Amino acid sequence: DTAVSQTPKYLVTQMGNDKSIKCEQNLGHDTMYWYKQDSKKFLKIMFSYNNKELIINETVPNRFSPKSPDKAHLNLHINSLELGDSAVYFCASSQYPRPYEQYFGPGTRLTVT
Amino acid sequence: LAKTTQPISMDSYEGQEVNITCSHNNIATNDYITWYQQFPSQGPRFIIQGYKTKVTNEVASLFIPADRKSSTLSLPRVSLSDTAVYYCLVGDKLGGSQGNLIFGKGTKLSVKP
């Protein structure tokens, strides 16, 4: 059983388009996250949701909007895609009181042309 | 959150013990030390976490001196499959923290036959 899954695994799209990445976890965790890993391999947190409530919202363009329909899902919607959005996006989850023990998904490689 | 410093890369051979040291001079009283491993094209994987002295699990050991200004991740008898990037993170796991992980550049470990 896959603990944290993401779809799609690869996403190639043109500038200006709107796209979504889906994430699901079957671990029963109460917190989910989105990270971005750029071409230099720096991994940076974007958002965190705890029980469907936004907890962390780092400085990201408001073209990025997370949506959490329930505790097990955290989707990432990106409007008006730009070249600089090209990266690998990772979803992760954790369970209180161990927020530092996070389980990551396989990643979604987004390429904007 | 305390800043961490670790070597950019390390080389080793199969069967050797590998020690990766991380410096965190500004570590706070409530901070824990956490290590993650990331294989190419995969999300990071939690390895171990500790507060002081020594922690050991089935994967690695974590040594933390009394002043806690550094820590050493020890991988016993590495194999080719241990080739990965290893991240040292320091942060508060208590007090309502929702796991704002800050990943540095990590240490790229290359294990050779």
Side-chain angles (χ1 to χ4, degrees), chain B residues 34-72:
Chain B
T34 309
W35 285 81
Y36 276 78
Q37 172 192 58
Q38 185 176 23
F39 297 115
S41 301
Q42 293 188 27
R45 182 176 77 113
F46 172 88
I47 301 177
I48 198 167
Q49 183 181 71
Y51 184 81
K52 61 180 179 180
T53 62
K54 176 184 174 182
V55 179
T56 297
N57 62 22
E58 64 278 5
V59 176
S61 294
L62 179 59
F63 297 92
I64 305 168
D67 66 5
R68 305 201 324 124
K69 293 184 182 299
S70 67
S71 59
T72 299

